[in-house]
Amino acid sequence: SKRKLAKDGVISISPYEPGKPIEEVSRELGIPEADIIKMASNENPLGASPLGIQAIKDCAENVFLYPDGDCYYLKRDLAEILGVKPENLLMGNGSNDVLQIIADTFIKPEDEVIYSRHAFVVYTLVTKIADAKAVVTEMKDYTHDLSAMADAITDMTKVIFIANPNNPTGTMVTAEEVEKFMNRVPEDVIVVFDEAYYEYVTRDDYPQTLKYVHDGRNVIVCRTFSKIYGLAGLRVGYGIAKPDLVEVMNKVRQPFNVSMVAQVAARASLKDKDHVERSIKVNAEGKQYLYNELEKIGINYVPSEANFILIHLDRPGPQVMKELLKYGVIVRPLVGYELPNSIRVTIGTREQNEQFITCLKTVLGK
């Protein structure tokens, strides 16, 4: 009999479903690209920072050169802002790359990996690629149940993934919950706090996880330039951890994983405080508008700390997605997240939010 070439874990993976690109919807439906709004992938509706865009233009003629494999200047800028040292930083081709590097560096087939049901789907992917055992805990009110996660720890536990705020539910765990949880986690278990939406959180009880890194715990905090900084198309993210963890992950990291263009755009975007503040403001206003409109038409949603909202419907999400597509509105169905009757909607500009609500009412007959 012929042997299977791929690993068992890989064969069992359901492919990641990205939000449909605007070009594809335009092609399929014959709608002009300008009339399509993409509210499926949690991108910044204001776009990238003008400073970032200028930096991209300025470096265009140097792209024949390999990038700085150490991200020397970007690391220094970040270290200063975060109050860490450059040797605390691992740079990634998006924070997804950091998650894969963590798995490739630390997770062996006999290890157990803990994450929640309805948590970011990449945790499942990296665990299966590593052929390790996934231990999936139930959520409480669409929020990570940290005490259930702590209860699930065994001698075989290697990594625990906690997205905070979580994608696609938009919920967060508090500083107090995290402190109790960390008191129960053995020293030799790696806790990954995936904080891709960190900049959007306004609550006072959001955990300051860098303190665990400073305390020398086996904690890796992941952040990204894809969301509030508007550089999703360039892929640049980073992990923050103690130097000995970073050192070993750097052995696994591809030598030129962050492009030259991504590095210069990220550095310039860090200087654009106005863009970040505007993005936070537009998100807060848009969130409130969407809450009000959804309540008026009697639609359930999960209050969000991020730049998207999980919306519950009384019919399959993919069906609603296809209906909305006809009006040029792209949203994300969540069948892959075991939420078959829900969609995730990115908070857009005022115009985009209004268009979404109008089309949703039409589609649902409200």
Side-chain angles (χ1 to χ4, degrees):
S1 67
K2 285 188 85 171
R3 64 185 178 145
K4 279 193 307 206
L5 296 180
K7 300 192 282 190
D8 289 343
V10 172
I11 290 169
S12 72
I13 289 172
S14 318
Y16 180 83
E17 280 177 53
K20 273 179 182 284
I22 290 172
E23 303 86 357
E24 189 188 332
V25 175
S26 176
R27 258 199 324 269
E28 285 176 10
L29 299 175
I31 303 172
E33 286 189 19
D35 297 343
I36 296 170
I37 57 170
K38 186 177 176 198
M39 302 174 80
S41 301
N42 307 340
E43 294 142 338
N44 188 333
L46 300 181
S49 150
L51 298 184
I53 293 167
Q54 190 53 51
I56 292 168
K57 291 174 179 171
D58 293 345
C59 86
E61 61 206 35
N62 291 325
V63 295
F64 70 98
L65 296 167
Y66 280 101
D68 171 1
D70 186 44
C71 293
Y72 181 89
Y73 295 106
L74 176 54
K75 272 192 195 168
R76 264 152 191 71
D77 291 354
L78 272 172
E80 195 178 329
I81 289 168
L82 296 167
V84 298
K85 295 192 167 75
E87 48 269 35
N88 288 117
L89 295 167
L90 173 87
M91 303 309 298
N93 192 283
S95 55
N96 263 24
D97 185 32
V98 176
L99 298 172
Q100 186 64 61
I101 292 168
I102 291 168
D104 289 343
T105 307
F106 301 111
I107 302 173
K108 300 191 294 291
E110 62 271 23
D111 289 338
E112 290 176 3
V113 178
I114 300 172
Y115 52 85
S116 303
R117 197 179 303 287
H118 319 308
F120 186 38
V121 75
V122 169
Y123 313 145
T124 307
L125 294 182
V126 300
T127 302
K128 285 184 168 178
I129 293 167
D131 261 336
K133 182 185 170 191
V135 177
V136 184
T137 57
E138 293 301 330
M139 284 193 159
K140 220 188 228 163
D141 298 326
Y142 296 101
T143 308
H144 300 297
D145 182 346
L146 293 187
S147 63
M149 293 176 102
D151 290 341
I153 296 170
T154 70
D155 291 346
M156 302 308 289
T157 306
K158 177 64 71 71
V159 174
I160 303 174
F161 286 111
I162 299 167
N164 199 37
N166 179 55
N167 173 20
T169 59
T171 54
M172 64 163 246
V173 286
T174 66
E176 191 185 340
E177 289 164 342
V178 167
E179 185 64 20
K180 278 186 187 146
F181 169 77
M182 288 302 296
N183 288 336
R184 294 183 59 193
V185 175
E187 286 294 325
D188 61 354
V189 171
I190 296 167
V191 181
V192 179
F193 289 104
D194 184 353
E195 299 181 352
Y197 300 94
Y198 151 83
E199 292 89 353
Y200 288 103
V201 182
T202 51
R203 279 171 51 175
D204 296 338
D205 55 352
Y206 184 70
Q208 301 304 316
T209 47
L210 292 188
K211 120 181 147 69
Y212 300 108
V213 174
H214 292 303
D215 290 348
R217 293 293 300 266
N218 286 315
V219 161
I220 304 168
V221 179
C222 299
R223 293 185 186 163
T224 185
F225 284 88
S226 296
K227 307 300 176 189
I228 210 155
Y229 289 103
L231 300 178
L234 286 180
R235 317 304 306 118
V236 55
Y238 53 99
I240 311 156
K242 58 184 185 180
D244 56 346
L245 288 183
V246 173
E247 196 182 332
V248 66
M249 289 190 286
N250 267 325
K251 295 178 180 182
V252 172
R253 178 181 65 80
Q254 295 293 319
F256 301 111
N257 63 332
V258 182
S259 77
M260 171 198 296
V261 180
Q263 291 182 44
V264 301
R267 289 189 69 205
S269 301
L270 279 174
K271 295 188 178 78
D272 196 342
K273 306 253 191 317
D274 288 351
H275 185 73
V276 171
E277 279 165 24
R278 262 205 348 274
S279 303
I280 292 169
K281 186 168 179 282
V282 165
N283 191 66
E285 288 167 0
K287 190 181 351 181
Q288 210 42 64
Y289 168 80
L290 289 170
Y291 286 175
N292 295 342
E293 294 299 315
L294 291 167
E295 280 161 24
K296 274 186 217 164
I297 50 179
I299 289 178
N300 284 331
Y301 62 86
V302 178
S304 172
E305 306 306 327
N307 68 337
F308 57 84
I309 303 176
L310 173 63
I311 296 175
H312 298 313
L313 304 159
D314 55 6
R315 63 194 77 175
Q319 193 183 316
V320 176
M321 180 206 86
K322 287 198 181 82
E323 290 297 314
L324 284 169
L325 264 187
K326 293 176 188 167
Y327 297 97
V329 177
I330 313 174
V331 299
R332 182 78 149 80
L334 299 169
V335 176
Y337 284 97
E338 299 182 53
L339 296 163
N341 290 357
S342 303
I343 56 172
R344 187 190 65 201
V345 179
T346 307
I347 298 163
T349 59
R350 181 73 192 206
E351 285 170 348
Q352 291 174 334
N353 296 333
E354 286 173 0
Q355 190 180 333
F356 163 70
I357 290 291
T358 306
C359 297
L360 185 69
K361 283 178 177 169
T362 309
V363 165
L364 299 178
K366 298 247 181 215

